[in-house]
Amino acid sequence: MELVKVEQLDIDGEEVPTVDARGLWEFLEIKRQFTDWIRDQIGRGRFVENRDYIVFHEKVKNPSGGRFADEYHLTL
């Protein structure tokens, strides 16, 4: 049984297992805002972008128009 979906993504030319940080945040039922939580996790863990995580800038639909949101995938 998979509690949080694991995906193989390309990071710096290598396929690595990752998890969607927002999915992990939801699974853990974190009460803090996602953006605050993920920034704290990256800082505490001293994660390095494109090694320990990758960021996708996704356009999010909402009734008043689209906006961009950062989606993080953490390496395992």
Side-chain angles (χ1 to χ4, degrees):
M1 177 169 82
E2 188 173 67
L3 301 176
V4 178
K5 184 178 178 184
V6 176
E7 298 179 59
Q8 292 290 115
L9 294 178
D10 182 282
I11 297 181
D12 200 25
E14 183 179 344
E15 290 287 316
V16 295
T18 66
V19 295
D20 172 41
R22 190 175 300 275
L24 178 62
W25 172 78
E26 289 172 355
F27 173 77
L28 295 173
E29 299 178 351
I30 304 298
K31 303 295 183 214
R32 297 177 62 204
Q33 291 238 353
F34 173 74
T35 53
D36 295 334
W37 175 80
I38 191 63
R39 287 184 186 139
D40 285 351
Q41 299 313 304
I42 289 169
R44 276 190 337 169
R46 297 183 183 166
F47 296 163
V48 176
E49 188 171 355
N50 296 321
R51 184 188 75 194
D52 301 310
Y53 70 97
I54 55 176
V55 180
F56 296 100
H57 305 287
E58 302 287 331
K59 189 158 190 166
V60 178
K61 298 269 185 186
N62 65 36
S64 59
R67 64 178 178 84
F68 285 94
D70 292 333
E71 293 299 325
Y72 297 79
H73 285 255
L74 308 172
T75 61
L76 295 184

